[in-house]
Amino acid sequence: MKSQNNIPATKVERATRFVTTGIKVGGNYIKHYAKKAINPDLSRDELHESNAADIYETLSELKGSALKVAQMMSMDRNLLPKAYSERFQMAQYSAPPLSGPLVIKTFTRYFGKAPQALFDTFAMDASNAASIGQVHQATKNGKKLAVKIQYPGVAQSVKSDLKMVKPFAVRLMNLNEKDVDKYMDEVETKLLEETDYQLELQRSQEISTACGHINGLVFPTYYPEFSSERVLTMDWLEGFHLDDFLKTNPSQEVRNKIGQALWDFYDFQVHILRKVHADPHPGNFLMRPDGTMGVIDFGCVKEIPENYYRNYFTLINPDNLKDPAICDKVFVNLEFLHEQDTPQERKFYSDLFITMIGLLGKPFHTQEFDFGDDAYFQSIYDYAEYLSNLKELRESKVARGSKDSLYINRTYYGLYSMLNQLKAVVRTSSPAWLWQPI
Amino acid sequence: MNNQELIQKTYIEYLLENGKVPPSPYLLAKLAGIDEKDFYAIYNSLQAVEADIWLQFFQEAKQQTISQEVYERYSVREKLLSFYYTWVEVLKNHRSFVLFAVGTRHLHQETALLSPFKRAFTEYANELITEGRNTGEVVNRPFVTERYADGFWVQALFVLRFWVKDNSAGYELTDAAIEKAVNTSFDFIGKSALDTLFDFGKFLYQTQRAGYGL
C-alpha cells in the first residue's frame, strides 16, 4: 500500500476528497459500461473492485471516523458486494503513523514528561495503527507494554466526517436520508465514545474481569497511571492477527480451540453481560499457536437493551420462526415491519426475513456447528445477492431494522466471518430460555 | 534577573495591566527600577523591546527543542515539527501577551516588530533545509530552493495565528494543524511527481533532439 504523506486538513479539503471520489466512482461506471459494450461477458465484480479501491483510498486518507465507517461496512458483508468488502477489510489494519514530536507532545501534556522518562524504554516508531490512534511498544520494570495514542482532533472531526460519509451511505444502502440519520446517530454516539480512552479503560477493566474465567482467553492488564483521555496503556500481548495466524497452518484442534473461545466470549457477553465488544474485526484478536487468544480494544461496546434482546433472540428458535403470530409481533418490535406497510408488503418482507433469520440462526440449531462449511456461507452470500437484486428491495427507500441492529448485526457478522476463516468446529451453546415455548 | 530580562518582564506586565504599550522608555525604566540610561544601553526604542521579546520566545523554544535527547535522531521534518510544538508551549506561558500583540495590531503586516525573530527563524529554517538536502528530504530545485525558508516563515505565522484563534481543549487542533501544515510543506519540497514529470519531459526533449523519434 502506498504510504500517505499528508492528512487532509480542513473541512473543505476533506469535502474535496469526497467529491474526487464521487467523480472517480462515476468514472469507473463509465469505464465499466464502455468495456461492457465491447465485451458483454464482463462481470460487475471488476467494477466493484475499482470502485472499492478508490473509495478505500479516499477514506484511508481521511482517517478517523471515515475509516471507522469503512471498517463497519467491511464487516457487514451483506451490505456490500464482495469486492467492496475485501478492499475495505484492509482498512482494518494500517493507517499512516503520526510524527514522533507529536507523540512526545501528547505525553508531556498528560503526564508532564516525555514517554522516555515515563517508561524504561519507549519505541518511537509505532508498531501498528488503529483507526483513530497508533500503538507503541514500551517497557516498564521488565514488563512489555502496549501504549495506544490517539490522534489529536479526532473527536472534533467525527461529526463533520459523518456528515460527509452520509451521501455515500445513502447511495450504498439506497435509503432515504431520514432513515439513514437514525443509523448515523447511533454510529456517531459510538464513535464519540471510542474517542474517550478513559471510558475505554473503565470498560476494558470491567469486561475483561467479567470474562476472565472463559477458557482460552487472555486479557491484558490495564494501567490507569499511564492512561489519560488520549493515551491508554496495557500489557503487550503476543499473537498473530487472523490472516497471519492462518499462514502458520494451525492444526484443526488449535483452530477449534480458538473458535470455541471466540464463541464463548460472545455468548457470555451477549446473554449474561448484555454488553458486547462490538468491534470483532481481526485486528482486535491476537491468536497464538497454543490455541489461546488475546483480546484487546474495548473502544466500541454495545449495550443491548432488554426489549431488543428478547425479540432478537426469540426467533433463533426455529419453532418460533414457524409461528406467524410470533414472527409478526417480533418483526414489528424490531422495526422490520412498519404500520404503513400494505398486506402484500408485510407478507413479502416477512418471508424474506424468515428465510434470512433461518439461515443466520442455523449455527444455533445444532449442538455443534462447522463454520468451515463454505457451502453454508455461500448460501448466505447467495441469498444476500438475491436480495440485493430484488427490484422491490432495491427500489424501497424504507429502512428496516432498529438502530440497535446495526452493532449487534455487525458483531455477529464479524464473529461468523472470523469463525469461517478459522474453519472452526464450535459447540454452539445458547441460553436455555431460547428453547422454551412462548 | 539581568536588566534585559527585567525590562522585558516589566514591559509585558505594563501591557497586560494597562491594555496598551508603556508610553515612554523613561516610565518603563522607572517601573523596572533602573536608570533610563541603562535602558538605552540595551534598547534604542520601546519597539525594540517587544521585538526582542518575540526573539526570546523563539530562542527559548529553539533551545528547548535542540536540547532534547531525541532531537539528533529526528528527521528534518520531525525537527521542524518538534520546534513548532515547543514554540507553542512557550507562547502558552504568555498567551495574554500574544493575544494582545496579535489581536491589536495585525502583526503579520508589522514585520519590523518581528524582524529579529524572522531573521533568527529564517536562519534556523535554512539550517534545516541544508540538512534536508543532505538527507534527501529536500530536493534541490534551481531558483526555488532559496525561497523555501520564506515559505516556512509564512508557515510559522500561520501556526501563530491558528493557535491564537484555537478554542479547542488543550489547543488540540493546533497540534493537528502543525502536523498537517508541516507534512504538506515537506511534500512540496521533497521529491514529488512534478520532479519526475519534469525529468521525464527533459529526457523526451533531449532524446527527440538526438534523433530517437517516437
Side-chain angles (χ1 to χ4, degrees):
Chain A
M1 194 171 55
K2 222 168 49 201
S3 86
Q4 174 185 323
N5 293 315
N6 67 323
I7 309 162
T10 61
K11 195 171 166 181
V12 178
E13 217 176 308
R14 281 165 182 252
T16 325
R17 290 259 169 234
F18 276 108
V19 174
T20 327
T21 309
I23 295 169
K24 274 197 196 156
V25 172
N28 289 337
Y29 272 97
I30 296 171
K31 243 185 338 208
H32 173 73
Y33 286 111
K35 273 195 205 160
K36 188 144 179 127
I38 304 163
N39 174 13
D41 298 333
L42 192 71
S43 97
R44 282 177 71 91
D45 274 356
E46 196 193 330
L47 169 70
H48 289 316
E49 189 89 54
S50 19
N51 280 349
D54 288 337
I55 294 181
Y56 170 77
E57 211 157 288
T58 306
L59 289 177
S60 80
E61 281 178 37
L62 284 163
K63 229 192 229 166
S65 40
L67 193 55
K68 215 66 208 182
V69 174
Q71 284 187 355
M72 276 193 65
M73 293 202 285
S74 81
M75 297 308 324
D76 209 334
R77 294 206 186 197
N78 282 359
L79 204 69
L80 284 173
K82 214 171 171 183
Y84 281 107
S85 66
E86 272 165 16
R87 183 75 195 201
F88 276 132
Q89 231 147 20
M90 288 171 33
Q92 295 165 353
Y93 290 99
S94 27
L98 283 198
S99 75
L102 187 51
V103 170
I104 293 188
K105 159 115 189 193
T106 307
F107 265 88
T108 318
R109 166 171 311 151
Y110 290 106
F111 305 101
K113 41 183 144 177
Q116 287 83 357
L118 198 64
F119 300 107
D120 296 340
T121 66
F122 184 85
M124 284 305 289
D125 288 328
S127 41
N128 48 12
S131 63
I132 60 166
Q134 60 193 33
V135 181
H136 292 256
Q137 205 176 67
T139 55
K140 179 88 183 175
N141 303 330
K143 266 211 138 153
K144 218 169 169 188
L145 305 175
V147 184
K148 192 160 83 158
I149 302 163
Q150 194 177 118
Y151 304 126
V154 172
Q156 283 101 327
S157 68
V158 162
K159 282 184 189 213
S160 64
D161 274 6
L162 281 186
K163 260 192 212 113
M164 280 178 293
V165 174
K166 208 169 87 177
F168 276 93
V170 170
R171 225 165 75 196
L172 281 168
M173 298 190 249
N174 193 24
L175 294 173
N176 69 40
E177 275 199 56
K178 226 181 90 218
D179 285 331
V180 170
D181 280 343
K182 183 172 75 170
Y183 299 124
M184 281 289 177
D185 283 348
E186 170 91 351
V187 174
E188 187 176 305
T189 317
K190 286 274 159 276
L191 285 176
L192 286 175
E193 282 177 17
E194 266 187 78
T195 62
D196 183 351
Y197 279 1
Q198 300 279 26
L199 180 70
E200 182 172 343
L201 174 73
Q202 177 206 324
R203 280 172 163 171
S204 306
Q205 290 180 315
E206 184 186 323
I207 297 185
S208 47
T209 310
C211 295
H213 66 281
I214 297 169
N215 225 338
L217 293 185
V218 180
F219 296 97
T221 304
Y222 291 83
Y223 299 90
E225 66 272 33
F226 303 132
S227 303
S228 74
E229 283 98 343
R230 299 284 181 265
V231 179
L232 189 62
T233 302
M234 66 195 92
D235 285 337
W236 182 272
L237 292 186
E238 297 293 341
F240 297 99
H241 288 161
L242 182 56
D243 284 354
D244 296 327
F245 180 69
L246 292 176
K247 281 183 205 142
T248 66
N249 279 322
S251 69
Q252 187 63 45
E253 192 197 338
V254 168
R255 292 160 187 267
N256 290 353
K257 223 180 137 191
I258 289 187
Q260 192 63 50
L262 259 174
W263 181 273
D264 293 344
F265 178 48
Y266 279 96
D267 184 66
F268 185 78
Q269 291 177 92
V270 170
H271 298 292
I272 310 292
L273 295 180
R274 301 282 169 87
K275 248 183 220 178
V276 60
H277 178 288
D279 202 5
H281 77 77
N284 289 342
F285 298 92
L286 298 163
M287 305 177 176
R288 301 103 172 274
D290 64 354
T292 60
M293 178 178 62
V295 186
I296 52 173
D297 198 340
F298 287 88
C300 182
V301 171
K302 171 71 187 162
E303 295 181 17
I304 312 172
E306 172 66 22
N307 183 38
Y308 180 84
Y309 171 79
R310 283 277 155 185
N311 282 296
Y312 190 84
F313 287 97
T314 295
L315 296 184
I316 292 296
N317 184 337
D319 291 337
N320 295 339
L321 204 55
K322 280 180 205 125
D323 186 330
I326 295 178
C327 280
D328 214 52
K329 206 176 114 223
V330 168
F331 287 156
V332 170
N333 288 342
L334 291 180
E335 299 170 46
F336 283 139
L337 295 180
H338 300 288
E339 271 175 29
Q340 65 270 31
D341 291 336
T342 62
Q344 290 94 321
E345 281 175 330
R346 258 186 129 81
K347 167 95 178 71
F348 174 75
Y349 286 111
S350 295
D351 288 349
L352 292 187
F353 293 135
I354 288 170
T355 314
M356 192 72 180
I357 292 166
L359 262 175
L360 293 175
K362 236 177 176 166
F364 288 89
H365 299 165
T366 46
Q367 295 292 315
E368 198 177 76
F369 191 80
D370 180 4
F371 282 93
D373 180 6
D374 283 331
Y376 169 65
F377 284 90
Q378 197 55 50
S379 69
I380 295 180
Y381 295 142
D382 286 348
Y383 192 65
E385 196 64 30
Y386 162 75
L387 289 183
S388 69
N389 287 325
L390 273 185
K391 200 163 157 288
E392 292 87 336
L393 264 186
R394 240 187 9 238
E395 285 167 9
S396 162
K397 296 265 177 195
V398 184
R400 294 179 187 276
S402 93
K403 68 177 174 56
D404 296 307
S405 310
L406 208 57
Y407 280 88
I408 308 287
N409 283 342
R410 175 191 186 215
T411 303
Y412 274 99
Y413 289 140
L415 176 64
Y416 278 25
S417 153
M418 284 202 298
L419 289 172
N420 174 233
Q421 289 174 62
L422 272 172
K423 308 219 169 306
V425 180
V426 168
R427 291 182 310 281
T428 49
S429 51
S430 51
W433 74 264
L434 291 187
W435 310 103
Q436 285 152 10
I438 295 180
Chain B
M1 199 181 284
N2 60 33
N3 282 354
Q4 187 186 357
E5 288 165 352
L6 203 58
I7 293 170
Q8 287 184 15
K9 185 170 165 279
T10 316
Y11 182 93
I12 293 179
E13 275 170 12
Y14 185 92
L15 192 142
L16 294 181
E17 284 167 16
N18 299 284
K20 58 180 188 205
V21 296
S24 69
Y26 172 80
L27 184 68
L28 185 60
K30 195 178 160 190
L31 289 171
I34 57 172
D35 284 345
E36 194 183 4
K37 71 171 167 35
D38 294 334
F39 175 89
Y40 282 115
I42 303 169
Y43 297 114
N44 56 17
S45 71
L46 283 170
Q47 211 185 37
V49 179
E50 191 165 333
D52 197 34
I53 293 174
W54 285 99
L55 179 65
Q56 293 301 324
F57 289 166
F58 167 78
Q59 278 167 347
E60 192 183 335
K62 186 185 163 194
Q63 192 49 42
Q64 278 184 32
T65 310
I66 61 177
S67 61
Q68 289 174 95
E69 201 200 319
V70 286
Y71 186 77
E72 281 313 309
R73 291 197 299 276
Y74 277 158
S75 65
V76 174
R77 185 179 68 96
E78 287 170 322
K79 284 178 177 167
L80 185 63
L81 280 167
S82 186
F83 165 76
Y84 282 138
Y85 290 134
T86 317
W87 184 47
V88 167
E89 286 303 312
V90 170
L91 294 179
K92 247 186 227 176
N93 298 331
H94 304 280
R95 183 157 169 97
S96 300
F97 168 76
V98 174
L99 287 187
F100 179 86
V102 176
T104 51
R105 41 188 129 107
H106 307 291
L107 208 49
H108 44 295
Q109 288 161 15
E110 222 172 311
T111 37
L113 209 49
L114 294 184
S115 60
F117 164 36
K118 182 183 173 182
R119 256 196 310 278
F121 177 84
T122 315
E123 193 187 314
Y124 177 52
N126 273 322
E127 277 169 34
L128 290 180
I129 291 162
T130 308
E131 189 186 332
R133 271 158 60 179
N134 294 334
T135 61
E137 277 180 90
V138 177
V139 176
N140 197 17
R141 300 193 184 100
F143 310 116
V144 189
T145 316
E146 296 92 78
R147 314 295 299 172
Y148 286 165
D150 295 338
F152 284 127
W153 172 244
V154 172
Q155 187 177 61
L157 290 182
F158 160 78
V159 169
L160 175 65
R161 269 178 249 131
F162 193 99
W163 176 72
V164 163
K165 288 192 207 130
D166 190 358
N167 291 321
S168 61
Y171 308 112
E172 211 181 47
L173 286 181
T174 301
D175 291 353
I178 291 173
E179 192 88 347
K180 288 160 210 276
V182 171
N183 283 338
T184 310
S185 57
F186 272 84
D187 275 358
F188 274 114
I189 63 177
K191 195 150 182 72
S192 71
L194 228 67
D195 293 302
T196 25
L197 186 69
F198 181 74
D199 181 54
F200 184 41
K202 203 169 100 187
F203 168 78
L204 285 182
Y205 178 75
Q206 285 167 345
T207 47
Q208 297 269 355
R209 282 180 54 126
Y212 293 89
L214 288 181

